[in-house]
Amino acid sequence: MMKWAPVLFGLLALGLWEATVRIGEVPVYLLPGPIAIVGAFIADPIGLLQALASTLFVTFAALFVAAVLGATMAIAMSASRLAQAAIQPWAVALQVTPLPAIAPLIIIWVGEPFVALVVCATIVAFFPLFANTSTGLASAPPELNDLFRLYGANRWRTMALLRLPAALPFFLSGLRISGGLALVGAVVAELVAGSGGFASGLAYRILESSFRLEMPRMFAALVLLALAGILINFGLGALGQIILKWRGGT
Amino acid sequence: MLSVTNVGRRFPGGVQALHDVSLSLRESDFVALLGPSGCGKSTLLRLIAGLDQPDSGRLEWNDGPPRSGDIGYVFQDATLLPWATAEDNVFLPLRLRGESRETAMPRVHAALLGVGLAGFEKARPRQLSGGMRMRVSIARALVTQPRLLLMDEPFAALDEFTRHKLQADLLDVWRQAGCTVVFVTHSVYEAAFLAHRIVLMTPRPGRIDREIASSLITGPDTRLDPAYAALVADVSRAMGEALR
Ligand SMILES: Nc1ncnc2c1ncn2[C@@H]1O[C@H](COP(=O)(O)OP(=O)(O)OP(=O)(O)O)[C@@H](O)[C@H]1O
Ligand SMILES: [Mg+2]
């Protein structure tokens, strides 16, 4: 019963929604009912799914770049005071800059639309990965660091055998957070780029249908985006758990 | 093996953690450092281990400065690598010296056997009880066959039954290994049970007040032995005087 409660609640809400729209005769350009939305999806499933794939491609490319960059910079920072002093303020500056404000600039500078979108989404996804990995690299108790010193371990061995393994769970939870953010970044960048951009992602479909007042199609694209976000979150969460379980303990 | 002479250590912020501390360690000594919180016991241990440097005074090693593995260190928490098995945790000091797994494993397993953990080689720390984790930690400190074993309140976080068992087992291990042990504790009972040299320390500034020798030969019934009770009384009285 507990397990099915959210599903039942969702179905109930959908039913109410459909009923309200029908009984209240709400015009479809304001709020389409669920059946109309499903209808819009069925009318062009391939077009919408291709758009989803395009957005997801940008999302995962950005997530990958952010993971590599975030982890590398966190490691560089934890290995050297100088690198820390040099990197830290820029990382924070990057984090507090609102993406919609710099996206137009990036799109103009980069030129190539796909790369521009990936750069935008990477900027959003970078910080949690960077910050979490940094925290994780410093998370081993001081006694363990002392122990490594006692046995004469140099900086690189300490990194390989203590700091990196200690950072893994932190990195993985950063990955999960950044997965959702990369999707947000990809969507925002697509919206900013509009028809001048890649013009093939879900966010662009949303813009396009809003111009044409095709509300059911717009909602169908929205639902796909939401589902993608949920799947990314759960998928990355499960991936993290599998990796930690295989590694044996946090 | 080691002479500590007139050592002082002041931390930034002005805490005089150690003041004019002198202590000499001989082969096969079992020394307890006994004193209240903040009297510099851990600081002294870290100086001996080379993890910290004194501001004044000297540490002189009779047979030259210790090399990696000459000193074993056991902390209050087991401080194991949570992702590594018991055997990998014990292997760590050898691994850091560059030894290969194959050549090290017989000694790793012998160390685990020595602390009563045969059969738990593949267990992860979270699958072990607090007492067993501490045993792994002791095995890790002993696997390099150190000349000097430093222990900083290793049993303070354990329940009394487990503590008593580990104390007795530690004495067995020490008799077998023949190394020198410096054991930090703030329990008079523990110091009296384990050590034949009980060094009393007092805080602000951290100093050694006096040393009490014990000729107790510890066995299964020591805790019921009137001589043990008398020693505990002596040490308690001395501690009371020192802190007055
Ligand atoms: N790294 C440090 N920086 C500043 N002060 C320190 C540092 N380490 C220890 N101290 C101070 O030095 C004094 C002695 O500390 P120490 O840890 O040696 O005491 P202790 O006898 O081991 O106490 P406990 O029984 O609580 O472990 C304390 O007042 C402590 O606050
Ligand atoms: Mg201490």
Side-chain angles (χ1 to χ4, degrees):
Chain A
M1 191 64 204
M2 258 344 213
K3 207 170 132 192
W4 295 105
V7 178
L8 282 175
F9 180 76
L11 285 177
L12 196 72
L14 285 178
L16 265 177
W17 179 1
E18 186 69 41
T20 315
V21 167
R22 280 175 192 246
I23 295 168
E25 293 179 354
V26 182
V28 76
Y29 59 83
L30 278 185
L31 179 66
I35 292 177
I37 294 171
V38 171
F41 177 75
I42 291 172
D44 181 22
I46 294 179
L48 284 170
L49 286 177
Q50 270 175 350
L52 175 66
S54 162
T55 299
L56 284 181
F57 190 46
V58 172
T59 302
F60 282 109
L63 185 61
F64 177 77
V65 176
V68 172
L69 270 184
T72 314
M73 286 170 82
I75 291 168
M77 226 179 74
S78 95
S80 132
R81 275 271 173 82
L82 184 69
Q84 174 165 17
I87 295 171
Q88 182 90 37
W90 293 107
V92 174
L94 200 62
Q95 195 232 346
V96 297
T97 311
L99 178 65
I102 43 170
L105 197 61
I106 292 170
I107 288 163
I108 292 168
W109 278 352
V110 174
E112 219 290 301
F114 172 73
V115 179
L117 294 186
V118 172
V119 169
C120 288
T122 302
I123 288 174
V124 186
F126 169 80
F127 197 78
L129 277 159
F130 170 74
N132 268 35
T133 311
S134 289
T135 309
L137 286 168
S139 70
E143 288 88 355
L144 269 173
N145 282 293
D146 282 344
L147 195 79
F148 274 68
R149 270 175 62 208
L150 181 72
Y151 291 114
N154 64 25
R155 197 190 276 204
W156 305 115
R157 300 229 85 184
T158 310
M159 181 62 80
L161 296 179
L162 179 61
R163 288 161 150 262
L164 282 180
L168 183 65
F170 291 79
F171 171 80
L172 290 171
S173 77
L175 194 68
R176 185 177 183 180
I177 299 168
S178 290
L181 287 181
L183 182 64
V184 172
V187 167
V188 169
E190 266 184 53
L191 290 178
V192 172
S195 56
F198 209 28
S200 66
L202 262 187
Y204 184 70
R205 293 283 161 264
I206 290 176
L207 270 186
E208 190 185 55
S209 5
S210 83
F211 292 146
R212 297 182 189 159
L213 287 181
E214 293 173 347
M215 288 302 147
R217 184 169 162 86
M218 179 175 165
F219 269 84
L222 263 179
V223 169
L224 281 183
L225 265 183
L227 285 178
I230 292 169
L231 280 181
I232 288 175
N233 194 313
F234 277 94
L236 290 174
L239 177 76
Q241 278 185 346
I242 291 168
I243 292 177
L244 287 182
K245 197 164 180 183
W246 166 79
R247 198 265 301 250
T250 45
Chain B
M1 84 187 328
L2 169 68
S3 312
V4 177
T5 320
N6 307 122
V7 156
R9 178 74 174 104
R10 173 191 286 273
F11 285 109
V15 181
Q16 187 78 41
L18 290 175
H19 174 71
D20 199 19
V21 165
S22 296
L23 176 72
S24 76
L25 300 177
R26 296 176 304 250
E27 306 295 330
S28 308
D29 268 351
F30 200 122
V31 181
L33 294 181
L34 177 66
S37 187
C39 67
K41 306 181 295 292
S42 300
T43 305
L44 180 54
L45 222 53
R46 291 172 53 80
L47 289 176
I48 295 175
L51 293 170
D52 191 12
Q53 301 304 321
D55 299 318
S56 56
R58 302 184 306 280
L59 279 88
E60 284 161 320
W61 296 87
N62 295 349
D63 311 320
R67 286 161 307 162
S68 170
D70 279 350
I71 297 179
Y73 209 121
V74 179
F75 302 91
Q76 176 168 347
D77 295 316
T79 59
L80 304 175
L81 303 175
W83 53 83
T85 58
E87 84 183 359
D88 281 339
N89 268 292
V90 176
F91 172 43
L92 180 71
L94 302 175
R95 186 172 184 187
L96 291 175
R97 285 207 302 212
E99 290 195 35
S100 79
R101 236 190 130 72
E102 294 76 67
T103 60
M105 262 321 136
R107 271 168 296 150
V108 168
H109 289 161
L112 281 168
L113 182 69
V115 296
L117 280 184
F120 290 93
E121 291 82 1
K122 303 289 180 199
R124 312 263 177 196
R126 71 186 141 76
Q127 298 166 316
L128 299 172
S129 69
M132 291 160 95
R133 267 179 256 168
M134 188 44 74
R135 287 172 189 274
V136 177
S137 192
I138 294 172
R140 177 179 66 187
L142 288 172
V143 75
T144 58
Q145 300 189 307
R147 288 154 55 205
L148 177 57
L149 178 60
L150 305 173
M151 307 181 87
D152 195 349
E153 304 186 30
F155 307 149
L158 303 176
D159 66 85
E160 189 164 355
F161 306 103
T162 312
R163 183 157 61 236
H164 285 179
K165 182 82 175 88
L166 267 119
Q167 286 167 352
D169 290 356
L170 173 64
L171 285 176
D172 288 342
V173 166
W174 167 66
R175 287 184 186 117
Q176 282 227 327
C179 58
T180 304
V181 179
V182 180
F183 189 103
V184 166
T185 177
H186 41 218
S187 158
V188 171
Y189 299 96
E190 187 167 51
F193 184 81
L194 290 172
H196 58 251
R197 293 176 61 191
I198 301 170
V199 173
L200 303 192
M201 295 184 70
T202 52
R204 284 179 294 276
R207 290 187 321 106
I208 292 182
D209 183 80
R210 71 188 81 176
E211 180 173 330
I212 296 170
S214 152
S215 49
L216 206 66
I217 311 277
T218 310
D221 296 325
T222 299
R223 284 179 221 280
L224 307 173
D225 187 344
Y228 171 66
L231 178 62
V232 167
D234 280 350
V235 175
S236 301
R237 196 177 312 115
M239 200 74 235
E241 280 170 22
L243 291 175
R244 195 168 307 130

